Amino acid sequence: MSAIVYLNGEFLPADEAKVSVLDRGFIFGDGIYEVIPVYGGRLFRLEHHLNRLDHSLQGIHLENPLPHSQWRSVFEQLVEKNGGSDHSLYLQITRGVAQRDHAIPLQNEPTLFAMCNPLKSPNLSTYRQGIEAITIEDIRWKHCNIKAIALLPNILLRQQAINAGVSDAIMLRDGEVTEGTAANAFIVKNGCVITPPKSNLLLPGITRDLVVELCQEHKIPVEERAILEEELTEADEVWLTSSTKEILPVTRLNGTLVGKGEAGPMWEQMAGLYRDYKTAVREGRRD
Ligand code: PDD
């Protein structure tokens, strides 16, 4: 049975959902997206995702076509039609169908699309081994805070990492860490959790913010400040965070072990706090 997707106000089987070849998303990559985890049928940190959606839309001069309450209703219906439980909900808004012209059309109906993808919780023993990554120059534009669907640089950088025989890359701009190809970056040094501050050079990750909040809540030292390349390579622990990866340890960087080459004690603590938070979302105690 084909999964049910949402397209421009309708719920329909994925193989019946069609978008015009003149859609500016297809022609120009002119659109933005969100990825929202769903646990036990409940939307994780929905207001945070919708606020970031607003910022991305403002960043590309597109009005939000629906109020937050209506987005919530669309997402809840979509999750229910796909059997509840755990998903990553993907939402994409493009500037819609128009004759090809770089200039933004004065009046255009945006294209609204959402689907549910399977979401598996991390396997603890695999996560404890961590992944291998390389550092790479950040070749992206200077509006990385917009969650744009145009991801060609991220795709090429991820592939460069794969071609180098590792799983991912951590990007550097002017000698400072920005983020992973589809995740935010953290280091741990001498018991302090450190992540770069929010700026136009990286995506303000919802998972990143939750990790910072959980540190604050549990009195774990945390700093939002620039991370120099040398600090990255000398870190006790390195993590990547995202809605789908949660908190993923990087245990080898540029061929060298990070710490002992396995997930560190701070990761164990944070991963536990993150799991507890997810349980609270499943049980409707937090969102
Ligand atoms: N990506 N930075 C980049 C470049 C990302 O693409 C992502 C997420 C993040 C983490 O954001 P969040 O914690 O809100 O998921 C940071 C999603 C998951 C994706 O493209 O599939």
Side-chain angles (χ1 to χ4, degrees), residues 123-217:
N123 174 299
L124 264 187
S125 60
T126 315
Y127 264 49
R128 285 196 173 113
Q129 286 165 27
I131 61 151
E132 183 162 4
I134 52 171
T135 50
I136 217 163
E137 195 199 331
D138 194 339
I139 54 162
R140 300 172 304 160
W141 67 335
K142 293 197 178 153
H143 297 282
C144 296
N145 52 326
I146 299 172
K147 203 161 169 57
I149 59 170
L151 287 172
L152 199 47
N154 305 60
I155 290 168
L156 294 178
L157 292 170
R158 169 73 66 84
Q159 194 57 42
Q160 206 175 316
I162 292 167
N163 293 348
V166 302
S167 308
D168 211 340
I170 297 181
M171 296 184 271
L172 298 164
R173 198 190 275 265
D174 300 327
E176 291 180 6
V177 173
T178 54
E179 57 184 338
T181 59
N184 290 109
F186 282 77
I187 64 165
V188 177
K189 190 70 188 176
N190 300 328
C192 184
V193 176
I194 309 166
T195 194
K198 290 186 202 174
S199 76
N200 59 321
L201 300 180
L202 54 94
L203 187 81
I206 306 301
T207 319
R208 171 206 180 277
D209 284 356
L210 178 56
V211 168
V212 171
E213 265 178 57
L214 288 173
C215 285
Q216 288 162 344
E217 225 172 83

Side-chain angles (χ1 to χ4, degrees), residues 49-272:
H49 282 279
L50 289 174
N51 288 337
R52 184 172 66 186
L53 177 73
D54 287 336
H55 286 123
S56 294
L57 288 167
Q58 277 162 20
I60 68 161
H61 315 296
L62 192 58
E63 216 175 290
N64 195 336
L66 298 181
H68 287 192
S69 56
Q70 222 171 316
W71 277 126
R72 178 184 281 278
S73 157
V74 166
F75 298 158
E76 285 175 349
Q77 289 178 69
L78 183 64
V79 168
E80 202 213 297
K81 287 177 196 298
N82 284 284
S85 73
D86 292 9
H87 298 280
S88 85
L89 193 153
Y90 177 86
L91 166 69
Q92 172 166 322
I93 303 176
T94 77
R95 213 180 298 276
V97 179
Q99 275 305 315
R100 185 178 183 278
D101 182 351
H102 288 65
I104 293 178
L106 285 180
Q107 278 197 324
N108 225 47
E109 276 298 305
T111 299
L112 318 184
F113 171 66
M115 65 179 165
C116 283
N117 288 318
L119 180 65
K120 278 206 208 115
S121 277
N123 174 299
L124 264 187
S125 60
T126 315
Y127 264 49
R128 285 196 173 113
Q129 286 165 27
I131 61 151
E132 183 162 4
I134 52 171
T135 50
I136 217 163
E137 195 199 331
D138 194 339
I139 54 162
R140 300 172 304 160
W141 67 335
K142 293 197 178 153
H143 297 282
C144 296
N145 52 326
I146 299 172
K147 203 161 169 57
I149 59 170
L151 287 172
L152 199 47
N154 305 60
I155 290 168
L156 294 178
L157 292 170
R158 169 73 66 84
Q159 194 57 42
Q160 206 175 316
I162 292 167
N163 293 348
V166 302
S167 308
D168 211 340
I170 297 181
M171 296 184 271
L172 298 164
R173 198 190 275 265
D174 300 327
E176 291 180 6
V177 173
T178 54
E179 57 184 338
T181 59
N184 290 109
F186 282 77
I187 64 165
V188 177
K189 190 70 188 176
N190 300 328
C192 184
V193 176
I194 309 166
T195 194
K198 290 186 202 174
S199 76
N200 59 321
L201 300 180
L202 54 94
L203 187 81
I206 306 301
T207 319
R208 171 206 180 277
D209 284 356
L210 178 56
V211 168
V212 171
E213 265 178 57
L214 288 173
C215 285
Q216 288 162 344
E217 225 172 83
H218 295 272
K219 309 261 179 298
I220 297 167
V222 60
E223 286 178 13
E224 294 176 74
R225 62 155 176 88
I227 300 172
L228 300 175
E229 183 174 0
E230 307 83 82
E231 292 182 290
L232 176 70
T233 50
E234 287 161 19
D236 300 330
E237 300 183 30
V238 176
W239 311 332
L240 291 172
T241 68
S242 81
S243 295
T244 46
K245 292 192 186 91
E246 303 185 5
I247 311 172
L248 174 63
V250 175
T251 48
R252 264 173 187 269
L253 189 64
N254 296 332
T256 304
L257 296 187
V258 177
K260 294 194 177 118
E262 58 187 24
M266 189 65 89
W267 178 83
E268 287 289 348
Q269 189 178 355
M270 281 310 307

